[in-house]
Amino acid sequence: MKKVVRAVLTLLFCLLLFGFQSAFGLRLRFFGAGFDLLPMAAVTAGVLSGAAVGGWTGFALGLMADMNRPGGICLYAGLYFLLGALAGQLTKLYLRRSLLTAFLGSLAALALLHLGSFALSAFVYGGTFAGYWRELLLTLVFSALLYFLIYPPLTLLDRLGTHSRREADMPPPRRIRTLGHHRRTRT
């Protein structure tokens, strides 16, 4: 029952965030640059709640972004799913769950998405990176300022999904990485 409530609340959060993004994303400008909170929310959900929750949150947000585009399906659902799942898996294996990890991972994912998008459009339509760096930097700054609107609700959703507060605060067990050499003893 708790998983169903969490899934419904996560979907409601995705709808509210998408509504905010689509309503104010074109109107709010920071020196000519907009903001993009959807991939940042997918990465943050992956860092805080794990690969499965991050992936499906990213899929829901990407599906909404795909339906909002006038040109048809843009494959944002699969891309945001991969971002959320990859962030969750990297956090599980190598990183700590913290505000700084979620924040920097979200900014890195947003920068990679924008660089990839511009490189693809420059390759297809021709163009240079001349005025793009200023727009990318301003988009990252504006998105970073608005990032703190999405971190507290995702933290609350993460707390809701765990069984107890102690389980949520426990660090993951340490793993000893080896190169595959295992000693076998004879019996």
Side-chain angles (χ1 to χ4, degrees):
M1 184 66 183
K2 202 173 211 180
K3 287 183 180 183
V4 173
V5 170
R6 181 181 179 181
V8 168
L9 287 176
T10 303
L11 187 59
L12 180 65
F13 171 75
C14 290
L15 285 170
L16 288 174
L17 183 65
F18 176 71
F20 177 77
Q21 172 86 24
S22 60
F24 297 110
L26 297 175
R27 293 186 188 135
L28 291 177
R29 292 287 177 187
F30 184 70
F31 294 107
F35 63 92
D36 194 6
L37 296 177
L38 301 182
M40 296 177 83
V43 170
T44 303
V47 168
L48 293 177
S49 301
V53 174
W56 290 112
T57 303
F59 181 76
L61 288 169
L63 194 60
M64 290 178 212
D66 278 343
M67 289 189 289
N68 193 34
R69 303 281 186 233
I73 301 290
C74 301
L75 301 178
Y76 283 112
L79 189 62
Y80 290 175
F81 175 82
L82 289 175
L83 282 176
L86 183 65
Q89 197 63 26
L90 285 175
T91 303
K92 179 181 174 185
L93 295 176
Y94 301 110
L95 304 172
R96 291 179 182 252
R97 288 178 19 164
S98 67
L99 171 66
L100 185 64
T101 303
F103 180 65
L104 292 178
S106 297
L107 286 180
L110 187 63
L112 283 175
L113 283 175
H114 280 273
L115 283 173
S117 171
F118 186 76
L120 184 63
S121 63
F123 176 73
V124 172
Y125 300 114
T128 62
F129 283 93
Y132 181 72
W133 299 110
R134 179 183 146 287
E135 181 183 341
L136 175 66
L137 180 66
L138 290 174
T139 300
L140 288 176
V141 168
F142 195 34
S143 296
L145 292 174
L146 291 174
Y147 174 76
F148 297 102
L149 293 174
I150 62 174
Y151 185 78
L154 285 172
T155 304
L156 289 174
L157 287 173
D158 179 52
R159 296 279 183 188
L160 179 71
T162 55
H163 297 293
S164 67
R165 182 175 173 87
R166 183 173 177 178
E167 180 185 324
D169 291 332
M170 288 178 39
R174 290 194 168 258
R175 295 194 175 134
I176 300 173
R177 307 248 181 250
T178 62
L179 296 175
H181 303 288
H182 300 286
R183 290 186 180 185
R184 292 186 183 186
T185 58
R186 292 184 183 181
T187 57

